[in-house]
C-alpha cells in the first residue's frame, strides 16, 4: 500500500516569512496529491491539490510542487500570517482506480506563526 | 454552500457496545468515505464506497466495522463491540468524482469515546 512521510512534524516561523513542508510517497501509481489544513477541533479542509500531470500549482500565497521521479511533493506558504497557524496534512491517492480511491495522509505538520 | 453533515457530534459508549455514526453526504456526490483520527494523530483512511458497494478498505476496517447507505441520503458507519482503542474522531467525506477529478469534502466529525 501507499506510505506517506511528512516533515517536519513542527515548524515555527516568524510572521511574514515563508514555510515549506515536504512529503514523500511510495506508490508510483499515485496520481493525486492534496494538502489539507486542520485547525484545532475542526475538520480537515482542502487548501490546494496537484495532479501527477502537473509539476507546480500556485494559489495566491500557497504553492505546491511535485517531483514524480523522486516521489516527493512540497507545500510552500509565503508571507505567513497568524491565521496560517494550524496542522497541515499532505496526502496521496491510492487504489484500483476503478471506483472510490483512498487517500493516505502524512502525520501532519504543526505550523506555528510567531508574531 | 452544501456541506457534509454528521451525527452525533459526540458519542460516549461503554466497551462492547455497538455504535452507529451517521453522515449525510453532499447530495450530488457519488463517492463516500470514512476516516478516523485518533487524538493528536494523523487522519487514517477506513473505507470508500461507490455505486452501493465498498470500493476500497484499509487494514483498520476489519469485521468489526460495516458501512451502509440505507437510503438515498444517509451513509452510516457501524462499529460492533467497541474497544477502548476505537476512541477517535470519525470523519465522513464525500466527493463528486474519484481522485484526479475533484475535491474531497469532510464533515465536522463524530467524536467517539469508549469507556
Amino acid at each position: 500500500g501507499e506510505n506517506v512521510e511528512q516533515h517536519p512534524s513542527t515548524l515555527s516561523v516568524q510572521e511574514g516569512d515563508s514555510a515549506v513542508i515536504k512529503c514523500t510517497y511510495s506508490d508510483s501509481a499515485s496520481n493525486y496529491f492534496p494538502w489539507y489544513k486542520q485547525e484545532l477541533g475542526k475538520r480537515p479542509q482542502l487548501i490546494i491539490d496537484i495532479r501527477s500531470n502537473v509539476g507546480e500549482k500556485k494559489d495566491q500565497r500557497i504553492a505546491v510542487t511535485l517531483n514524480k521521479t523522486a516521489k516527493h511533493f512540497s507545500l510552500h506558504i509565503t508571507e505567513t500570517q497568524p491565521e496560517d497557524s494550524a496542522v497541515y496534512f499532505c496526502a496521496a491517492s491510492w487504489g484500483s482506480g476503478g471506483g472510490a480511491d483512498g487517500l493516505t495522509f502524512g502525520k501532519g505538520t504543526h505550523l506555528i506563526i510567531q508574531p | 454552500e452544501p456541506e457534509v453533515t454528521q451525527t452525533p457530534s459526540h458519542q460516549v459508549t461503554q466497551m462492547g457496545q455497538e455504535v452507529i455514526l451517521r453522515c449525510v453526504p453532499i447530495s450530488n456526490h457519488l463517492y463516500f468515505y470514512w476516516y478516523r483520527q485518533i487524538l493528536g494523530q494523523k487522519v487514517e483512511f477506513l473505507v470508500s464506497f461507490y455505486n452501493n458497494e465498498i470500493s476500497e478498505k484499509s487494514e483498520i476496517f476489519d469485521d468489526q466495522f460495516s458501512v451502509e447507505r440505507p437510503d438515498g441520503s444517509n451513509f452510516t458507519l457501524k462499529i460492533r463491540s467497541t474497544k477502548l482503542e476505537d476512541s477517535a474522531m470519525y470523519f465522513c467525506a464525500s466527493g463528486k468524482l474519484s481522485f484526479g477529478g475533484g475535491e474531497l469534502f469532510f464533515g465536522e466529525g463524530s467524536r467517539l469515546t469508549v469507556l
Side-chain angles (χ1 to χ4, degrees):
Chain A
E2 176 70 278
N3 183 43
V4 176
E5 298 287 338
Q6 183 172 348
H7 301 280
S9 56
T10 304
L11 178 60
S12 181
V13 301
Q14 289 294 125
E15 182 178 350
D17 288 350
S18 296
V20 180
I21 301 170
K22 299 182 179 182
C23 287
T24 60
Y25 62 98
S26 60
D27 187 352
S28 56
S30 293
N31 58 10
Y32 176 69
F33 308 92
W35 285 88
Y36 284 85
K37 176 183 180 182
Q38 187 177 32
E39 296 175 352
L40 190 63
K42 300 282 186 67
R43 72 182 96 187
Q45 293 200 297
L46 181 73
I47 55 171
I48 196 165
D49 56 15
I50 193 167
R51 292 173 180 82
S52 57
N53 57 347
V54 175
E56 184 175 354
K57 184 176 176 181
K58 190 173 181 181
D59 182 3
Q60 299 182 331
R61 296 187 297 109
I62 296 171
V64 58
T65 58
L66 171 65
N67 183 327
K68 280 219 75 179
T69 304
K71 288 190 274 189
H72 66 70
F73 55 114
S74 301
L75 177 72
H76 304 252
I77 305 174
T78 58
E79 300 171 20
T80 52
Q81 300 168 3
E83 54 265 36
D84 294 330
S85 294
V87 178
Y88 291 80
F89 291 95
C90 64
S93 67
W94 61 270
S96 60
D101 296 343
L103 277 180
T104 297
F105 283 78
K107 291 187 176 180
T109 295
H110 186 192
L111 178 62
I112 302 165
I113 308 301
Q114 303 278 7
Chain B
E1 188 175 332
E3 283 191 341
V4 176
T5 58
Q6 290 185 241
T7 54
S9 57
H10 189 193
Q11 180 153 359
V12 181
T13 190
Q14 293 291 325
M15 193 167 54
Q17 296 297 304
E18 175 181 287
V19 300
I20 297 177
L21 306 179
R22 292 182 168 80
C23 170
V24 179
I26 295 172
S27 63
N28 61 346
H29 285 187
L30 300 176
Y31 300 86
F32 314 113
Y33 308 82
W34 282 100
Y35 288 81
R36 80 171 185 190
Q37 186 177 33
I38 297 170
L39 187 64
Q41 297 187 23
K42 67 176 179 179
V43 179
E44 298 176 292
F45 172 79
L46 292 179
V47 66
S48 60
F49 194 87
Y50 169 70
N51 201 26
N52 285 319
E53 61 183 17
I54 290 174
S55 184
E56 305 281 355
K57 59 183 181 179
S58 71
E59 294 173 351
I60 302 168
F61 194 88
D62 59 20
D63 293 342
Q64 186 193 2
F65 295 88
S66 62
V67 290
E68 197 175 40
R69 189 158 160 81
D71 53 43
S73 60
N74 291 285
F75 180 50
T76 62
L77 175 69
K78 182 188 289 185
I79 310 174
R80 287 179 283 275
S81 190
T82 49
K83 300 174 283 196
L84 295 176
E85 53 264 39
D86 294 328
S87 295
M89 181 74 91
Y90 289 81
F91 290 104
C92 174
S94 71
K96 190 181 295 186
L97 300 170
S98 186
F99 294 121
E103 179 179 351
L104 198 63
F105 293 82
F106 283 83
E108 292 281 6
S110 292
R111 180 168 297 285
L112 175 64
T113 302
V114 182
L115 302 176

